[in-house]
Amino acid sequence: MHLGLIPDGNSRHLLLHPSAAPYAPGVSAAELMLSHCSSLPVVESVSFFALSRDNALKRPGKLTGAATRAVLEACLRSLGEPLARPLALRFLGDLPLLDRTVAFPDLLSKSPLLDEHCAPRNITSVSDLCASLSTLSSPPPSSPSLPPLHILPHDLDLIIRPGHTRRLSSFCLYESAYAELRFPECLWPDFTPEMLDAVLEEFRGTERRFGGLGEEPKTGGEGKLERGEKPVAFVTGNKGKLEEVRSLLSDGVPGLVLTSLDADLPELQGDPAEIVREKCLAALGRAGGSPVIVEDTSLCFNALGGMPGPYVKWFLEAVGHAGLNKMLDGFEDRSAYARTVVGYCAGGADREVHVFEGRTDGCIVQPRGGGEGGGFGWDPVFECAEGDDRTIGVTYAEMDKVDKNRVSHRARAFGKLKVFLAGTRN
Ligand SMILES: O=c1nc[nH]c2c1ncn2[C@H]1C[C@H](O)[C@@H](COP(=O)(O)OP(=O)(O)OP(=O)(O)O)O1
Ligand SMILES: [Mg+2]
């Protein structure tokens, strides 16, 4: 991901904290943030807004010069540090201005990380672009060591601007066409790595459409959207679930159009219906006004009074299939049931969450049938006890997908949802 940072609010921070060394808090924030970025695998490159020509013209004088110098020095320092891993860093600012504050070629030669992707550029606004175009026929002799200008470098994915101002100013206008913009409610010096993590987490759940309509709606039934009809969004972070649900809703509900949103929604502790209600209301916020479907799936061991239940995800992640099996060692009863609770909410003014439950009995066994194409999650350790000879005594992972969708907890819950939807949509 290419991250843009606009460190806004340094001067206001100074007014609020007159005893602080000028710009020191903003400078530490810059240093901290860049080194934090280098520890985040998801962040491949960072464009940092140092100072634009527009900025300098509007706010001439010591203040701006000092801020630029301080931030650049901080950047230099952070580049001098051994970063956790190479990070393509790019500072955007006005070249002549920067030249006055730091020895520019120095910046280039000091950093092993600066390459053509992170060379400082002065094209951030239309006036910059015009100025640069006018020099194309005769490159300025004063800057022979600068790398060539790339007018359209790789686009930004996410731009973060703290400081209570919700605009781009002249930052990367050409590269920000489809960037997501976030404006944390604090001044730059108060923006912490934890806040950055929170923004990145939220960004991860954002469906990016790049100006288009996103993924083609996958249709159920006849497929075509009727006039005025909205598609229903299934919100889940789990691809295995999505695949099954697409197939489960592919018929039986005329006119239903299922789209999907990849989002890991917050999950409360509580009973499954409660979890699903909260999950459903959280999903509404992501679905842009569409009705939403969410589900929560539990795996309940009878010997343990129904645990791990909705918490199976965390148990599975922590101890794996072998660990789930070991939890039942010492008990004779290895029976279990899988349960899916589906939540549906029409959205808009209607906040009622309709809840449907499906359950399938089975028992916990040593993993069978996992691997390529062999189910997901705890499928390999759940041996089904229901259905017919294609499903009884067979783990979900060993089963044909069509067979799982005949007997599974999910199929039963979504079967009830389908009956409900067929009633409300006709
Ligand atoms: O049919 C299934 N067969 C095997 N494993 C399954 C199944 N269905 C869910 N699972 C796993 C996924 C997760 O480890 C836990 C449920 O947690 P759960 O919160 O419902 O799922 P999730 O977090 O993966 O997706 P979501 O974004 O919809 O919450 O059991
Ligand atoms: Mg979940």
Short mmCIF file of all heavy atoms in Angstrom, two decimals, residues 305-331:
data_model
loop_
_atom_site.label_atom_id
_atom_site.label_comp_id
_atom_site.label_asym_id
_atom_site.label_seq_id
_atom_site.Cartn_x
_atom_site.Cartn_y
_atom_site.Cartn_z
N GLY A 305 -20.28 -28.30 27.89
CA GLY A 305 -21.43 -27.40 28.09
C GLY A 305 -21.59 -26.41 26.95
O GLY A 305 -22.12 -25.32 27.15
N GLY A 306 -21.13 -26.78 25.77
CA GLY A 306 -21.34 -25.89 24.61
C GLY A 306 -20.15 -25.03 24.25
O GLY A 306 -20.16 -24.32 23.24
N MET A 307 -19.10 -25.06 25.05
CA MET A 307 -17.89 -24.32 24.70
C MET A 307 -17.11 -25.10 23.63
O MET A 307 -17.27 -26.31 23.57
CB MET A 307 -17.00 -24.12 25.94
CG MET A 307 -17.50 -23.02 26.84
SD MET A 307 -17.22 -21.41 26.07
CE MET A 307 -18.81 -20.63 26.28
N PRO A 308 -16.26 -24.54 22.80
CA PRO A 308 -15.95 -23.11 22.74
C PRO A 308 -17.02 -22.26 22.07
O PRO A 308 -16.95 -21.04 22.15
CB PRO A 308 -14.65 -23.06 21.93
CG PRO A 308 -14.60 -24.34 21.17
CD PRO A 308 -15.40 -25.35 21.94
N GLY A 309 -18.03 -22.86 21.44
CA GLY A 309 -19.14 -22.07 20.90
C GLY A 309 -18.67 -20.96 19.98
O GLY A 309 -17.86 -21.18 19.07
N PRO A 310 -19.16 -19.74 20.21
CA PRO A 310 -18.82 -18.64 19.30
C PRO A 310 -17.34 -18.26 19.35
O PRO A 310 -16.86 -17.51 18.50
CB PRO A 310 -19.69 -17.47 19.80
CG PRO A 310 -20.11 -17.83 21.17
CD PRO A 310 -20.12 -19.33 21.25
N TYR A 311 -16.64 -18.79 20.35
CA TYR A 311 -15.22 -18.43 20.49
C TYR A 311 -14.31 -19.42 19.78
O TYR A 311 -13.10 -19.35 19.91
CB TYR A 311 -14.85 -18.32 21.98
CG TYR A 311 -15.86 -17.48 22.73
CD1 TYR A 311 -16.66 -18.03 23.72
CD2 TYR A 311 -16.06 -16.14 22.39
CE1 TYR A 311 -17.62 -17.26 24.36
CE2 TYR A 311 -17.02 -15.38 23.02
CZ TYR A 311 -17.80 -15.94 24.01
OH TYR A 311 -18.76 -15.18 24.62
N VAL A 312 -14.91 -20.34 19.02
CA VAL A 312 -14.10 -21.39 18.38
C VAL A 312 -13.04 -20.80 17.46
O VAL A 312 -11.94 -21.36 17.31
CB VAL A 312 -14.99 -22.39 17.60
CG1 VAL A 312 -15.74 -21.72 16.46
CG2 VAL A 312 -14.16 -23.56 17.08
N LYS A 313 -13.34 -19.63 16.88
CA LYS A 313 -12.36 -19.02 15.98
C LYS A 313 -11.02 -18.81 16.69
O LYS A 313 -9.96 -19.10 16.15
CB LYS A 313 -12.90 -17.68 15.49
CG LYS A 313 -11.96 -16.93 14.59
CD LYS A 313 -12.64 -15.74 13.96
CE LYS A 313 -11.67 -15.00 13.07
NZ LYS A 313 -12.36 -14.07 12.19
N TRP A 314 -11.11 -18.32 17.91
CA TRP A 314 -9.88 -18.00 18.65
C TRP A 314 -9.19 -19.27 19.13
O TRP A 314 -7.97 -19.36 19.16
CB TRP A 314 -10.18 -17.05 19.81
CG TRP A 314 -11.14 -15.98 19.38
CD1 TRP A 314 -12.41 -15.77 19.82
CD2 TRP A 314 -10.93 -15.01 18.33
NE1 TRP A 314 -12.99 -14.74 19.13
CE2 TRP A 314 -12.12 -14.27 18.21
CE3 TRP A 314 -9.86 -14.72 17.47
CZ2 TRP A 314 -12.27 -13.23 17.29
CZ3 TRP A 314 -10.01 -13.70 16.56
CH2 TRP A 314 -11.19 -12.97 16.48
N PHE A 315 -10.00 -20.29 19.49
CA PHE A 315 -9.41 -21.57 19.89
C PHE A 315 -8.70 -22.20 18.69
O PHE A 315 -7.58 -22.69 18.80
CB PHE A 315 -10.50 -22.52 20.41
CG PHE A 315 -10.86 -22.26 21.85
CD1 PHE A 315 -11.69 -21.21 22.19
CD2 PHE A 315 -10.35 -23.06 22.86
CE1 PHE A 315 -12.01 -20.95 23.51
CE2 PHE A 315 -10.66 -22.81 24.19
CZ PHE A 315 -11.50 -21.76 24.51
N LEU A 316 -9.38 -22.17 17.55
CA LEU A 316 -8.80 -22.77 16.34
C LEU A 316 -7.49 -22.08 15.99
O LEU A 316 -6.49 -22.74 15.68
CB LEU A 316 -9.81 -22.63 15.19
CG LEU A 316 -9.45 -23.28 13.86
CD1 LEU A 316 -9.30 -24.78 14.02
CD2 LEU A 316 -10.52 -22.99 12.80
N GLU A 317 -7.49 -20.76 16.07
CA GLU A 317 -6.26 -20.03 15.75
C GLU A 317 -5.16 -20.34 16.74
O GLU A 317 -3.99 -20.44 16.40
CB GLU A 317 -6.54 -18.51 15.74
CG GLU A 317 -7.15 -18.06 14.42
CD GLU A 317 -7.44 -16.56 14.37
OE1 GLU A 317 -6.83 -15.79 15.14
OE2 GLU A 317 -8.28 -16.20 13.56
N ALA A 318 -5.55 -20.52 18.01
CA ALA A 318 -4.53 -20.71 19.05
C ALA A 318 -3.99 -22.14 19.09
O ALA A 318 -2.80 -22.35 19.25
CB ALA A 318 -5.11 -20.33 20.41
N VAL A 319 -4.88 -23.12 18.95
CA VAL A 319 -4.42 -24.50 19.18
C VAL A 319 -4.60 -25.45 17.99
O VAL A 319 -4.15 -26.59 18.03
CB VAL A 319 -5.09 -25.12 20.44
CG1 VAL A 319 -4.75 -24.31 21.67
CG2 VAL A 319 -6.61 -25.20 20.29
N GLY A 320 -5.29 -24.99 16.95
CA GLY A 320 -5.42 -25.80 15.74
C GLY A 320 -6.32 -27.02 15.91
O GLY A 320 -6.97 -27.21 16.96
N HIS A 321 -6.34 -27.84 14.87
CA HIS A 321 -7.20 -29.03 14.89
C HIS A 321 -6.80 -29.99 16.00
O HIS A 321 -7.65 -30.56 16.69
CB HIS A 321 -7.10 -29.75 13.54
CG HIS A 321 -7.70 -28.95 12.42
ND1 HIS A 321 -7.19 -28.95 11.14
CD2 HIS A 321 -8.76 -28.12 12.39
CE1 HIS A 321 -7.93 -28.17 10.37
NE2 HIS A 321 -8.88 -27.65 11.11
N ALA A 322 -5.48 -30.14 16.18
CA ALA A 322 -5.01 -31.08 17.20
C ALA A 322 -5.46 -30.62 18.58
O ALA A 322 -5.93 -31.42 19.42
CB ALA A 322 -3.48 -31.19 17.14
N GLY A 323 -5.36 -29.33 18.81
CA GLY A 323 -5.74 -28.78 20.12
C GLY A 323 -7.22 -28.93 20.38
O GLY A 323 -7.63 -29.23 21.51
N LEU A 324 -8.05 -28.73 19.34
CA LEU A 324 -9.50 -28.91 19.53
C LEU A 324 -9.78 -30.34 19.97
O LEU A 324 -10.61 -30.60 20.84
CB LEU A 324 -10.26 -28.59 18.24
CG LEU A 324 -10.35 -27.12 17.82
CD1 LEU A 324 -11.16 -26.97 16.52
CD2 LEU A 324 -10.99 -26.26 18.91
N ASN A 325 -9.07 -31.28 19.35
CA ASN A 325 -9.23 -32.69 19.73
C ASN A 325 -8.80 -32.93 21.16
O ASN A 325 -9.49 -33.59 21.94
CB ASN A 325 -8.43 -33.58 18.78
CG ASN A 325 -9.30 -34.15 17.68
OD1 ASN A 325 -10.04 -35.10 17.91
ND2 ASN A 325 -9.24 -33.53 16.51
N LYS A 326 -7.64 -32.39 21.52
CA LYS A 326 -7.09 -32.62 22.87
C LYS A 326 -8.02 -32.09 23.95
O LYS A 326 -8.06 -32.62 25.06
CB LYS A 326 -5.74 -31.91 23.00
CG LYS A 326 -4.59 -32.70 22.40
CD LYS A 326 -3.28 -32.36 23.10
CE LYS A 326 -2.11 -32.95 22.35
NZ LYS A 326 -1.35 -31.96 21.60
N MET A 327 -8.77 -31.01 23.62
CA MET A 327 -9.67 -30.45 24.62
C MET A 327 -10.67 -31.48 25.13
O MET A 327 -11.20 -31.37 26.22
CB MET A 327 -10.45 -29.26 24.04
CG MET A 327 -9.64 -27.99 23.95
SD MET A 327 -10.43 -26.77 22.88
CE MET A 327 -11.91 -26.43 23.84
N LEU A 328 -10.93 -32.51 24.28
CA LEU A 328 -11.93 -33.50 24.68
C LEU A 328 -11.29 -34.78 25.25
O LEU A 328 -12.02 -35.71 25.64
CB LEU A 328 -12.82 -33.84 23.49
CG LEU A 328 -13.81 -32.73 23.13
CD1 LEU A 328 -14.53 -33.04 21.84
CD2 LEU A 328 -14.81 -32.52 24.27
N ASP A 329 -9.95 -34.82 25.27
CA ASP A 329 -9.31 -35.99 25.86
C ASP A 329 -9.71 -36.05 27.33
O ASP A 329 -9.78 -35.04 28.01
CB ASP A 329 -7.78 -35.91 25.72
CG ASP A 329 -7.37 -36.16 24.26
OD1 ASP A 329 -8.26 -36.51 23.45
OD2 ASP A 329 -6.18 -35.97 23.94
N GLY A 330 -9.99 -37.23 27.79
CA GLY A 330 -10.44 -37.36 29.18
C GLY A 330 -11.96 -37.36 29.26
O GLY A 330 -12.52 -37.64 30.32
N PHE A 331 -12.62 -37.03 28.18
CA PHE A 331 -14.09 -37.12 28.16
C PHE A 331 -14.49 -38.29 27.26
O PHE A 331 -13.86 -38.51 26.23
CB PHE A 331 -14.73 -35.86 27.58
CG PHE A 331 -14.52 -34.63 28.43
CD1 PHE A 331 -13.48 -33.76 28.18
CD2 PHE A 331 -15.40 -34.34 29.48
CE1 PHE A 331 -13.29 -32.63 28.96
CE2 PHE A 331 -15.22 -33.21 30.26
CZ PHE A 331 -14.15 -32.35 30.00
#
